[in-house]
Amino acid sequence: MAHDAHEVKKEMVAIYPKKLGKKRAEQIVVTELGPDGSVPPIKANVRSSPGIITQRGCAYAGCKGVVIGPSRDILSIVHGPIGCSFYAWLTRRNQTRPPSDSDANFITYCLSTDMTEQEIVFGGEKKLKAAIKEAYDVFHPKAIAVFSTCPVGLIGDDVHAVARQMKEELGINVFAFSCEGYRGVSQSAGHHIANNQLFKHVIGVNELVHEDKFKINLLGEYNIGGDAFVIEDLFRRCGIKLIATFSGNSDYDSMANSHTADLNLVMCHRSINYVAEMMEKKFGIPWLKINFIGAAATAKSLRKIAEYFDDTELKAKVETVIAEEMPKVEVAQQDVRYRCQGKTAMLFVGGSRAHHYQVLFNEMGMEIVAAGYEFGHRDDYEGRKVLPTIKVDADSKNIEEVEVRPDETRYMPRLSSERKAQLTDPELEFQDYVGMMPEMEDGTLVIDDISHHETERLIELYKPSIFCAGIKEKYAVQKMGIPCKQLHSYDYGGPYAGFEGAINFYREVDRMVNMKVWSLLKAPWQTFEPQPEPAPVAAD
Ligand code: CFM
């Protein structure tokens, strides 16, 4: 690496006022794996400092947009001013495929109570009730979810009481989320709030029994760019029965029935680990951390599932699928490696992809020079082993911790204690997540909640071959002559999951990093030459 990461860090924070510089210095860490597998601590999941131009979103975005939004037949009503709905309308590329044209799909709709001054002054509960009734009359959904925006919490509308009342009146499941944008420090708070309500109001209300042998749920996969379709296909070919996905390409009934699965797979740890934990406690369903981003990671994840079920037939099927897919992947890898080997990437996105996508770049022979989450917690960086040492602050106390006990009739441990004791290989990540940092090269920069200034300095100093972020950063980065790949929406591309997705990703990144246009790019101000003063116009 051409730069000493410690020097870069010093230089990046030097420009800040003292207090802010001190805080940012704790959120910027140079990775170094200790002999015991530990990494240096990072400060994460703390408030963004005003003025730094954070990449983050709000709790409402994390709850409505991220966790619940991709489910196609829960009718979502936003209780709040119209802008909160309008700017969240179809902005995430979560795809869905109803079984037939006559099945419900509300994803394209945008329902809002359109709160105005009238409700801010006199209360909005009446309007919310009317909205739920009207929505029910028009759509006849199986379930209605109500999302609170900032003013709802400020004026004190009791959305939960309204939901209870309407549930009784309409005879369908109606539940609400106190996911006001200001709760917590980022969208991460919204994930937690969504997890809690899913657990309390949806999971376990459908008792349909599936006779299949290997029943799983996929948690934290939201079907961006069609990723879930690819993963579903892999499960089908391996003979694995997917009960529910939370929540890409999902419907209400499958989530309500998810407690009948025998294993939870956790893809995005940040957004949904709470559901995995709570389902373990209440129903006895263990969970495994998996990752379907990257071909090797996909193969490893399938093998982990087979290992969990410990079934010879399943193991054989998994090996067959891997053997069918890997040769195509290797051809594509070889092709791109020739042009991409040694090129560099930076990833600043979300709470899980900045880790998962490193695998794909490494498979192409590319090097990660810096990475970070927008809103990950310390466990996403350093691994779950730091969980007991994370201090609870006022912002995290703001979010309900649901007390969970084993279900009186439905708790059923899926594994014997002897079998559980066999699943301790750290590679298996059984009920564990090792985090991003232990898997990164020593000397790499890890930056939490990166600021715009830091982004610019990093680009100026390292001139990475590609920068991965979102739409808010994309054009600012590209104006600096560096291609920016959106890892939230995938720009217009995808899927990138599984074997097929890996090939798509290699090809697209190859095209981006080897495109000559970036070196030709000059912004108008870079070519600006001062013009001579215009001659004075003669006065009459
Ligand atoms: Fe999980 Fe996500 Fe992500 Fe996330 Fe997100 Fe997303 Fe993301 Mo954008 S749930 S943490 S809140 S993997 S919307 S599908 S891409 S920031 S890295």
Side-chain angles (χ1 to χ4, degrees), residues 66 92 187 191 222 224 268 271 349-353 375 487-488:
V66 174
R92 189 157 171 262
Q187 53 266 66
H191 301 151
Y222 301 97
I224 308 300
C268 167
S271 65
V349 52
S352 93
R353 294 187 170 180
F375 51 78
L487 282 192
H488 301 260

Side-chain angles (χ1 to χ4, degrees), residues 58-61 63 79 147-154 156-157 159-160 177-184 186 189-190 193:
C58 68
Y60 156 73
C63 180
H79 188 31
F147 301 89
S148 307
T149 57
C150 294
V152 172
L154 298 175
D157 274 0
V159 290
H160 304 286
F177 298 85
S178 291
C179 57
E180 291 87 353
Y182 57 76
R183 275 183 202 268
S186 70
I193 293 161

